[in-house]
Amino acid sequence: MSETDIRGNQLSERDRRLLVAVADGVQTRRAAKRLEGLPDASALVERQRRVSRLLSGGPELPSTLAELPPEVEVREHTPAVRRLAVGLASLVMVTALAVALVFALSPSTQEPPTVAAVSRLGFASALDRAPRSRPGHPALVTASFAGVNFPNWSRRFGWHTSGSRSDRLGSRTTSTVFYAHMGHRIGYTVVSGPPLDDDAHGRHLTRNGVAVTVVDEGMHASVVFVRNGRTCILSGHVAHLSTLIKLASWRGEGALRF
């Protein structure tokens, strides 16, 4: 569609290009003199300026001919350049939406996980290698998380580390070490941050001076307790629920801090 002035008169191709250049702030005042003879020249510049700003998303441009700088490099906006400007503007909008979505879903806006959700990590697959026994500390392995050292049960109970994994649940991060013994497997999960709300529906008891919550679901059981201000959960496949209680409350002759 060809450009028209305020009264609807057709502009020549040369005047139309000059109008675009002047509105975009890329034409000299000398070259703009030609447009001064057109009716309502300043109104035309303002109208084209608004269009140009919408296309490019750029800063405010001069709205009248008198505000033009004395010398600016001359350039023409080809259809390809305008298509590129529209594409860039769309990309900026999409990027802004993506950033907004990331902030909307960031951990700072999420709730802490439930005890039940953390317990399920004990049945997940290991993603990393198993930690080894810690030299000089037979009751510990080389893994630790959020100020909590993971226990070494191999010598005392015959449970050997078999793998590990790290996860993010809601607003918290977790670390899990897996142990195996005679075909059974359990996960020891430590949750970052302050203790989780004890929403588990189980029995509350104390063993070896350690308060635990026991959730008995047959072969799928879990024990919830706190060490160094962190929620810890043992969960997995066991033949006897008492095994989880014994392991959770083991202090390693003082090597494991509660």
Side-chain angles (χ1 to χ4, degrees):
M1 179 180 295
S2 59
E3 186 68 65
T4 62
D5 61 20
I6 299 302
R7 296 176 177 79
N9 298 319
Q10 297 290 332
L11 296 178
S12 67
E13 179 66 18
R14 179 181 180 185
D15 288 342
R16 187 186 66 79
R17 291 188 178 185
L18 286 175
L19 175 63
V20 171
V22 169
D24 286 353
V26 295
Q27 184 61 277
T28 64
R29 184 181 300 174
R30 186 185 306 111
K33 286 290 186 179
R34 175 178 173 80
L35 293 182
E36 292 181 350
L38 298 176
D40 303 307
S42 292
L44 283 172
V45 170
E46 171 62 16
R47 183 173 66 181
Q48 183 60 41
R49 184 184 66 85
R50 289 197 301 268
V51 173
S52 178
R53 188 171 67 248
L54 288 174
L55 287 173
S56 64
E60 293 290 335
L61 295 172
S63 59
T64 64
L65 295 177
E67 297 175 7
L68 285 172
E71 292 294 335
V72 184
E73 180 185 359
V74 178
R75 72 167 184 254
E76 293 184 358
H77 285 198
T78 65
V81 172
R82 290 202 170 277
R83 286 194 298 271
L84 177 60
V86 173
L88 290 175
S90 300
L91 179 60
V92 170
M93 293 179 64
V94 171
T95 303
L97 289 174
V99 171
L101 182 61
V102 168
F103 278 104
L105 298 179
S106 63
S108 61
T109 64
Q110 296 175 348
E111 297 296 326
T114 63
V115 168
V118 178
S119 296
R120 286 193 287 271
L121 291 176
F123 306 95
S125 300
L127 300 179
D128 298 304
R129 66 182 61 183
R132 302 182 302 275
S133 298
R134 182 175 299 187
H137 300 275
L140 304 176
V141 296
T142 53
S144 64
F145 178 73
V148 176
N149 295 315
F150 286 90
N152 182 3
W153 294 323
S154 60
R155 297 177 61 181
R156 179 67 181 271
F157 303 107
W159 286 84
H160 301 271
T161 57
S162 60
S164 62
R165 64 181 291 142
S166 299
D167 296 275
R168 174 176 289 276
L169 298 180
S171 61
R172 305 292 185 89
T173 53
T174 65
S175 180
T176 303
V177 172
F178 297 98
Y179 299 80
H181 174 63
M182 297 182 66
H184 298 286
R185 178 178 178 268
I186 60 176
Y188 192 125
T189 301
V190 179
V191 185
S192 67
L196 300 177
D197 292 336
D198 189 0
D199 58 355
H201 300 290
R203 294 182 292 123
H204 301 277
L205 50 88
T206 301
R207 288 290 185 274
N208 198 24
V210 179
V212 300
T213 299
V214 181
V215 180
D216 186 0
E217 298 177 347
M219 291 294 289
H220 298 172
S222 61
V223 173
V224 185
F225 53 103
V226 175
R227 286 185 56 200
N228 283 355
R230 312 298 187 194
T231 294
C232 301
I233 299 179
L234 283 185
S235 56
H237 303 281
V238 292
H240 304 285
L241 183 58
S242 59
T243 299
L244 290 182
I245 300 174
K246 181 188 299 184
L247 294 175
S249 60
W250 185 60
R251 293 178 176 271
E253 299 180 356
L256 299 176
R257 296 174 54 189
F258 284 82

